């Protein structure tokens, strides 16, 4: 029996996660984050050091990644990411005694291409609270922008004004594409140098 999401039959794809390759990808994203003109990137490290990567790899256990796509239209309907983590003993005091835990990100998409109403959570806390809590987790906290021995700065040669203009041009291009996937994908060239 195939799982369904709001009446749509889906195909379920499940896999483990190669944490080393994932961290390589995150490192590449961190290196490019400042070039996009996105605010708050100055709090992120510009890269992950080899020691931070090893500490994260040692801390993360049993990561899994599940994707659910529509059987007929192949549109993603759901993503679930799960992982367990251990806080290194040397970092437990900074993490208020936290020894480990499990993180689950579960996203389900329904009513595609229909008008949506999105309400802000009633008791939302600022991201800075989470970032502060994660800063005690050693290298795991580096991914949140907490001070964990990373460089704390971002590189990049583009001007933030020029990059901000690129992001705005990209957003306008995607909006004008009006749901046409091919046109939306073509908009990505606006984010590349010289685009």
């Amino acid at each position: 029996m195939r799982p369904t999401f709001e009446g749509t039959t889906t195909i379920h794809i499940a896999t483990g996660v190669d944490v080393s390759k994932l961290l390589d990808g995150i490192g590449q994203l961190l290196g490019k984050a400042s070039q996009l003109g996105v605010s708050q990137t100055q709090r992120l490290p510009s890269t992950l050091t080899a020691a931070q990567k090893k500490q994260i790899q040692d801390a993360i256990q049993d990561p899994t990644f599940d994707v659910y796509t529509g059987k007929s239209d192949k549109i993603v309907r759901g993503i679930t990411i799960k992982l367990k983590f251990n806080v290194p003993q040397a970092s437990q005091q900074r993490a208020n005694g936290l020894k480990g835990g499990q993180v689950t990100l579960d996203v389900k998409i329904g009513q595609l291409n229909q008008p949506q109403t999105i309400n802000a959570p009633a008791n939302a806390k600022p991201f800075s609270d989470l970032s502060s809590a994660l800063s005690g987790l050693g290298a795991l906290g580096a991914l949140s922008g907490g001070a964990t021995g990373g460089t704390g700065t971002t590189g990049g040669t583009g001007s933030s004004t020029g990059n901000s203009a690129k992001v705005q041009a990209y957003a306008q291009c995607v909006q004008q594409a009006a749901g046409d996937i091919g046109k939306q994908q073509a908009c990505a060239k606006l984010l590349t140098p010289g685009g």
Side-chain angles (χ1 to χ4, degrees):
M1 172 120 191
R2 295 186 185 274
T4 61
F5 287 78
E6 297 196 17
T8 300
T9 302
T10 63
I11 297 170
H12 177 206
I13 303 166
T15 185
V17 177
D18 184 329
V19 177
S20 176
K21 289 183 180 179
L22 174 66
L23 293 175
D24 288 343
I26 290 172
Q28 291 174 0
L29 287 173
L30 289 172
K32 294 178 181 179
S34 67
Q35 297 174 13
L36 295 177
V38 179
S39 64
Q40 302 298 320
T41 57
Q42 69 274 10
R43 296 190 64 215
L44 293 172
S46 60
T47 188
L48 292 175
T49 67
Q52 288 173 323
K53 286 180 185 178
K54 180 169 180 2
Q55 189 177 8
I56 293 169
Q57 282 181 264
D58 291 346
I60 293 178
Q61 302 169 348
D62 304 324
T64 60
F65 187 77
D66 294 81
V67 177
Y68 300 86
T69 65
K71 181 180 178 185
S72 61
D73 60 18
K74 306 299 186 263
I75 296 174
V76 174
R77 305 301 174 120
I79 297 174
T80 304
I81 301 169
K82 292 182 183 178
L83 62 88
K84 295 176 185 173
F85 67 92
N86 289 320
V87 177
Q89 189 168 4
S91 299
Q92 288 178 10
Q93 184 176 3
R94 288 184 302 174
N96 296 322
L98 180 66
K99 295 179 181 177
Q102 179 171 316
V103 176
T104 302
L105 172 65
D106 191 16
V107 178
K108 293 180 178 151
I109 304 167
Q111 300 178 6
L112 294 176
N113 299 319
Q114 301 297 317
Q116 303 290 320
T117 300
I118 300 173
N119 298 316
N123 298 314
K125 295 182 180 181
F127 182 76
S128 59
D129 287 1
L130 176 61
S131 181
S132 295
L134 292 177
S135 68
L137 298 181
L140 287 172
L143 300 178
S144 73
T148 59
T151 62
T153 61
T154 56
T157 57
S159 72
S160 73
T161 302
N163 291 326
S164 183
K166 284 184 177 186
V167 171
Q168 289 175 353
Y170 171 76
Q172 185 177 7
C173 181
V174 169
Q175 186 176 21
Q176 290 173 348
D180 183 316
I181 299 296
K183 289 180 181 178
Q184 289 174 343
Q185 290 174 335
C187 295
K189 68 181 180 218
L190 296 171
L191 295 174
T192 60

